Amino acid sequence: MTKRPNFLFLITDQQRADWLGCYGHPVLKTPNIDAIAARGTRFDNFHVASPVCMPNRASLLTGRYPSLHGLRFNGCVLPENANTFVDLLAGAGYHTAAIGKSHLQPFTNLPPMGKTREEITAKPDAWKRAPIAHYEEEPAQYDGDGRYKIKTPYYGYNHVDMVTSHGDRCGGHYQQWFRETAPDWRALQDDANQLSHNYSCPQAYRTPIPEELYPTAYIRDSAINYITSRSGEDAPFFAFVSFPDPHHPFNPPGKYWDMYRPEDFEVTLPYEAHKNPTPPMQWLHDNWKGDGGQTTPQTAMMLDDQQIKEAMALTAGMMAFIDDAVGEIIGALEDSGQLDNTVICYNSDHGDYLGDFNMLLKGALPFRAITQVPFIWSDPAHRTAAVSDALCSTVDLSATILDRAGLEPFNGNQGKSFLSAIAGAEGPRDETLIEYNDGGKRLGFESPARVRSLLTKSWKYTVYHDQPWGELYDLVDDPHETNNLWDSAEHQTVKAHLSERLIHHLIAQMDESPQADRIA
């Protein structure tokens, strides 16, 4: 192909890998996303760099682990001087657009867990960095009438259509559009006007906001408008189209609320399925039985089977809406004559326990439910169906996209291009590192959890900072991670080998950037 390809990168939030029809879900129907897989490569062993929103999104853009790019946990910020692969695309002549959720800067005005802003500012940091004057994603920027103008380039993006937060109360440019478009917007967002339902799942409520005013529809239409506007342009485009769903709160609008029923689903991996639960799992179980509640609305929890199935049904409704939106976006790409020169990717920023061991949401326990996500690559050079078991990571995406665009990554990029795996060859790695850092104390930890996992095709090895216990799972004989072999005498040799390999990955977390310009 002589012309440089466009890229349409579709991404969801908090969607585990097995929640798509093409990944074998027995109930959920996703024909439009399945159609991308039918003309592309579906990756069955794709994992995140970190199973939480902000750090993993920053790893996607920078090709670096959270320990290096600085956005270590939710509430931190990706430094404005961070280089991204989008910067390199833009520098090479691509028109770049971010449509939907970005979450590279905080989008709330709430202080972090367990600290006041005064306590934070009282102690100087290790780096004398100029503070960011204001966060482009924080709510105050979008309080006014009209459309807030984000300073661009925004981490490399020329065009930004910002959507922040989740559910039917999203902020950003969406919220400004919503106030302008819906004459009764205050009533639609008034808790007193929520529609009646009989669900007991926490954070499940039936929104009065109609489908066409819900954030998924806004992102769909914004993406279609952008794609249509690029027709006939000489410069290729990179469009990052990011849906805040599926995510709590569980409130799919209109027909999507009851498109699926709780009785359609099963809790196939209850708490009792785990043979030797770790201390955080035991804490979650005790907290559940003792009606302890959540530390924050984002904190993982355990629920009974009925509540889990309600969350599943509503998550399926959110996914059905996204699938319909994806179909229309791909249709616009085809109608505008750009499909034949556009690489289409589908991904998620992390998963959700969604019933595994009766858990919901995400947290410090790096089960595959939250680390393994869908990834599909459909390339105009070979639009044929394929499946790859290559082990790949979010940290590899920047190198792969740049490789397809004919560009080299910047110094300090830690990712490995898996473009060869798309063509059917072996992937570039035998193991991958997964980081998790918590922003506060929860799940029974006495200090914010610091977790590192080493994943191979056969094993998952996890250590927790300053904890005498850890996790070791045989992914061949125990793919659902139900039997922790950490203390097994028969597996100490395997454990020692994986420990040594993890040490090598941690050594590699020394920053190779900036380069030295003198010998001494």
Side-chain angles (χ1 to χ4, degrees):
M1 299 184 65
T2 56
K3 187 177 180 182
R4 292 181 297 172
N6 304 313
F7 292 90
L8 172 61
F9 197 101
L10 302 160
I11 185 168
T12 55
D13 197 338
Q14 204 157 296
Q15 181 191 358
R16 41 189 288 167
D18 53 6
W19 267 68
L20 284 173
C22 58
Y23 277 85
H25 197 281
V27 178
L28 176 63
K29 308 300 181 187
T30 51
N32 294 299
I33 299 169
D34 297 351
I36 301 174
R39 295 186 292 177
T41 302
R42 188 191 79 215
F43 284 80
D44 283 356
N45 212 357
F46 192 99
H47 291 261
V48 298
S50 181
V52 68
C53 301
M54 297 182 73
N56 198 60
R57 287 169 178 265
S59 289
L60 194 163
L61 257 68
T62 63
R64 289 154 64 84
Y65 280 96
S67 293
L68 292 192
H69 62 56
L71 207 171
R72 304 176 305 281
F73 48 82
N74 277 2
C76 296
V77 61
L78 183 63
E80 288 186 309
N81 63 346
N83 214 348
T84 72
F85 81 87
V86 185
D87 282 309
L88 299 188
L89 288 176
Y94 272 78
H95 192 272
T96 56
I99 300 166
K101 182 181 176 183
S102 170
H103 216 187
L104 300 172
Q105 296 183 0
F107 59 39
T108 77
N109 54 13
L110 302 173
M113 286 185 287
K115 293 181 180 179
T116 65
R117 288 196 176 91
E118 290 73 20
E119 290 172 325
I120 295 167
T121 56
K123 190 173 184 178
D125 269 326
W127 293 98
K128 298 176 182 177
R129 288 176 174 156
I132 295 177
H134 60 264
Y135 294 138
E136 298 287 355
E137 302 189 31
E138 64 184 350
Q141 311 304 342
Y142 305 93
D143 286 342
D145 295 332
R147 182 181 176 86
Y148 172 67
K149 183 173 177 57
I150 288 178
K151 181 177 67 176
T152 55
Y154 188 64
Y155 299 106
Y157 290 113
N158 310 124
H159 169 84
V160 180
D161 202 335
M162 183 67 70
V163 179
T164 63
S165 196
H166 301 99
D168 65 343
R169 307 293 174 87
C170 284
H173 291 133
Y174 162 77
Q175 180 62 218
Q176 292 183 310
W177 168 86
F178 180 78
R179 294 197 302 262
E180 292 176 355
T181 306
D184 56 345
W185 68 269
R186 287 187 179 84
L188 289 172
Q189 292 190 332
D190 188 339
D191 289 349
N193 293 325
Q194 291 175 11
L195 306 180
S196 62
H197 65 87
N198 59 358
Y199 285 1
S200 63
C201 176
Q203 301 191 54
Y205 62 88
R206 191 165 191 176
T207 179
I209 293 176
E211 296 158 26
E212 291 307 305
L213 293 178
Y214 192 78
T216 297
Y218 174 82
I219 294 166
R220 174 200 66 202
D221 294 346
S222 297
I224 289 172
N225 290 339
Y226 175 78
I227 289 168
T228 303
S229 75
R230 298 308 302 168
S231 179
E233 298 288 342
D234 291 332
F237 69 78
F238 176 85
F240 185 81
V241 179
S242 177
F243 297 97
D245 279 355
H247 196 283
H248 54 286
F250 305 100
N251 56 10
K255 67 183 180 183
Y256 298 103
W257 171 269
D258 51 9
M259 182 172 286
Y260 291 89
R261 304 172 302 165
E263 53 266 35
D264 296 334
F265 298 87
E266 296 181 21
V267 178
T268 58
L269 199 65
Y271 177 74
E272 293 75 19
H274 203 289
K275 297 177 181 178
N276 43 2
T278 58
M281 293 180 71
Q282 296 173 36
W283 186 93
L284 280 166
H285 186 265
D286 293 344
N287 187 66
W288 166 35
K289 295 302 183 180
D291 294 325
Q294 292 176 277
T295 305
T296 70
Q298 287 71 44
T299 302
M301 56 183 161
M302 285 189 184
L303 298 174
D304 63 41
D305 286 8
Q306 177 60 26
Q307 292 172 318
I308 292 289
K309 290 190 285 186
E310 291 170 1
M312 289 176 171
L314 297 177
T315 296
M318 289 186 275
M319 277 307 309
F321 197 176
I322 290 170
D323 185 74
D324 287 344
V326 166
E328 294 191 50
I329 292 169
I330 301 299
L333 192 64
E334 189 166 14
D335 291 345
S336 63
Q338 300 176 93
L339 176 65
D340 290 341
N341 194 43
T342 301
V343 174
I344 304 170
C345 299
Y346 183 91
N347 191 210
S348 179
D349 70 351
H350 57 80
D352 189 313
Y353 297 126
L354 206 54
D356 283 6
F357 310 119
N358 284 98
M359 297 191 298
L360 193 66
L361 311 185
K362 58 189 179 289
L365 297 161
F367 289 109
R368 294 175 80 170
I370 65 170
T371 69
Q372 187 173 353
V373 292
F375 184 74
I376 303 166
W377 178 291
S378 179
D379 198 305
H382 39 82
R383 293 243 199 250
T384 54
V387 178
S388 173
D389 69 347
L391 184 61
C392 301
S393 168
T394 299
V395 82
D396 299 325
L397 284 171
S398 60
T400 307
I401 292 169
L402 290 172
D403 190 6
R404 182 65 177 86
L407 301 172
E408 291 287 332
F410 53 78
N411 176 56
N413 184 293
Q414 296 176 290
K416 300 179 180 182
S417 172
F418 56 85
L419 202 59
S420 60
I422 294 165
E426 290 294 317
R429 58 171 72 245
D430 297 319
E431 53 198 25
T432 189
L433 173 69
I434 300 172
E435 297 188 358
Y436 177 86
N437 305 299
D438 210 337
K441 297 185 293 183
R442 45 187 166 180
L443 306 193
F445 288 97
E446 295 181 358
S447 60
R450 302 289 180 260
V451 187
R452 299 294 182 268
S453 295
L454 183 71
L455 180 73
T456 74
K457 288 185 178 181
S458 301
W459 298 96
K460 164 83 75 63
Y461 173 82
T462 301
V463 293
Y464 296 78
H465 183 236
D466 278 347
Q467 300 301 317
W469 53 272
E471 291 179 279
L472 175 65
Y473 295 103
D474 182 340
L475 301 179
V476 176
D477 292 338
D478 181 25
H480 299 300
E481 301 170 292
T482 63
N483 185 18
N484 183 8
L485 301 172
W486 182 265
D487 292 324
S488 168
E490 298 176 4
H491 295 86
Q492 293 308 299
T493 300
V494 171
K495 181 178 167 183
H497 170 70
L498 294 171
S499 175
E500 181 181 350
R501 290 304 307 150
L502 178 59
I503 290 170
H504 283 281
H505 280 268
L506 296 179
I507 290 171
Q509 296 314 300
M510 186 201 82
D511 203 340
E512 299 290 349
S513 179
Q515 299 183 71
D517 61 1
R518 301 287 192 278
I519 193 171

